[in-house]
Amino acid sequence: MISEDCAVVRPPVLRPGDAVALVSPSGPTSPERVARGVELLTGWGLRPVPAPNAYARHGYLAGTDDVRAADLNAAFADPEIRGVICTRGGYGVQRIVDAIDMAAVRRDPKVVAGFSDITALQFALWRGARLAGVHGPGAAWRDERTPLRSAESLHAALMTTEDVSVSAVPAEDTFAVRVPGRATGTLLGGNLCMIVASIGTPDLPDLTGAVLLIEDVQEPPYKVDRMLTQLRRAGALDGLAGVAVGQFTDCGDGWDTTIVDVLTERLGDLGVPVLGGLPIGHGPDQLTVPVGTPATLNTETGTLTVSP
């Protein structure tokens, strides 16, 4: 539960002319992969500034831990930088979250956008600064997966103060996952693997009264079962207000037990509303939502509405 003496910090909305740092705190990328994202951000009137080591490579990491942490901290400390857009996820941000200068984050809160491995960064920023963030595509943009609708969704979350509403889509693999009801609470979560990897660390949030967002990619049903079972056994799901189920992309091929079967069984007896079919995650037409702000989940209307 969020304590009364630790208010949520909502960073200022981005405005035309603002500089945004493009940071790679996890896996490596390249200028070619990020070029389309730079084009989009520039078209919105923003000034994308690649971090000094945005295109570094150190095995499966975007540079050594030291340089990735340095890029993040430089962006948080620079008064000219008004937002941090992660280029991509991958793996590695948990290796550097303990080196983040939380005092700098608290002095000058900035919107941090990303998903996948970036869930661990947003958990750390929530723990250290109660900073609300944005769960959405990174700057390594691919139009074939994130078309115009995805771009408009990210733009709205970053550059407007309107509520964000996402509707369940029948074509999504998780659409049949539903437990009737209406829930309100702070929206927290993101990538299921990273939520589970945070168990036992200081960064797993207290989910009492929260609406939990989960999504994942290329995880077979038994692994999703294992992760949800671990969360249950750890007590992490006790006191939830509701569960928002996003995209579970490429998670069911070749298995008799479907991802819908697993999600329904492992979430269906928690005694809270559950809404599947939300186009949030690693799949086509990915939409953006704030995390760390109040949300309402309504299974009757099939919507998740989140404060900016």
Side-chain angles (χ1 to χ4, degrees):
M1 181 177 293
I2 302 167
S3 63
E4 296 295 331
D5 60 347
C6 199
V8 176
V9 175
R10 301 197 199 196
V13 66
L14 293 178
R15 303 181 185 280
D18 282 349
V20 291
L22 307 184
V23 179
S24 301
S26 300
T29 189
S30 66
E32 294 76 23
R33 285 284 309 276
V34 177
R36 177 61 176 140
V38 168
E39 182 182 23
L40 281 172
L41 295 169
T42 302
W44 299 342
L46 299 172
R47 293 187 292 120
V49 180
N53 302 287
Y55 307 121
R57 182 178 291 268
H58 182 70
Y60 44 75
L61 303 170
T64 65
D65 291 352
D66 287 346
V67 302
R68 286 180 292 116
D71 278 0
L72 269 179
N73 283 329
F76 289 137
D78 187 345
E80 291 297 312
I81 296 296
R82 303 317 310 149
V84 176
I85 312 293
C86 299
T87 61
R88 57 163 299 203
Y91 168 73
V93 78
Q94 279 195 318
R95 293 171 55 125
I96 63 172
V97 292
D98 294 323
I100 293 174
D101 183 353
M102 291 296 177
V105 175
R106 290 189 291 266
R107 279 196 306 270
D108 186 11
K110 301 166 186 183
V111 63
V112 177
F115 78 117
S116 196
D117 196 57
I118 306 306
T119 295
L121 172 60
Q122 291 176 332
F123 272 7
L125 295 171
W126 179 255
R127 178 256 302 171
R130 272 300 182 266
L131 184 71
V134 168
H135 181 286
W141 195 272
R142 293 190 297 137
D143 283 313
E144 64 271 22
R145 191 184 73 80
T146 44
L148 177 61
R149 183 166 180 249
S150 299
E152 291 173 341
S153 177
L154 179 61
H155 176 271
L158 292 175
M159 301 189 71
T160 78
T161 56
E162 301 297 321
D163 285 353
V164 173
S165 185
V166 178
S167 296
V169 176
E172 290 289 348
D173 290 343
T174 63
F175 183 75
V177 181
R178 189 168 300 200
V179 176
R182 185 177 184 275
T184 59
T186 300
L187 186 68
L188 294 170
N191 181 252
L192 180 59
C193 278
M194 299 317 301
I195 297 170
V196 173
S198 298
I199 293 174
T201 75
D203 294 337
L204 182 68
D206 180 353
L207 297 172
T208 304
V211 175
L212 176 65
L213 171 65
I214 59 172
E215 58 83 22
D216 223 315
V217 61
Q218 295 180 340
E219 296 290 349
Y222 78 90
K223 287 190 177 181
V224 174
D225 184 327
R226 183 170 64 198
M227 288 187 281
L228 291 173
T229 298
Q230 185 175 359
L231 284 169
R232 291 170 63 113
R233 295 189 66 230
L237 305 186
D238 296 348
L240 275 181
V243 184
V245 180
Q247 297 167 318
F248 277 72
T249 306
D250 299 332
C251 287
D253 293 345
W255 295 86
D256 293 333
T257 300
T258 69
I259 196 66
V260 168
D261 294 333
V262 170
L263 292 168
T264 299
E265 181 191 12
R266 295 280 74 195
L267 300 173
D269 63 352
L270 294 176
V272 301
V274 179
L275 177 64
L278 297 168
I280 302 167
H282 287 74
D285 303 319
Q286 173 192 3
L287 300 184
T288 297
V289 288
V291 284
T293 61
T296 298
L297 182 148
N298 189 327
T299 66
E300 183 176 349
T301 59
T303 55
L304 173 69
T305 303
V306 194
S307 296

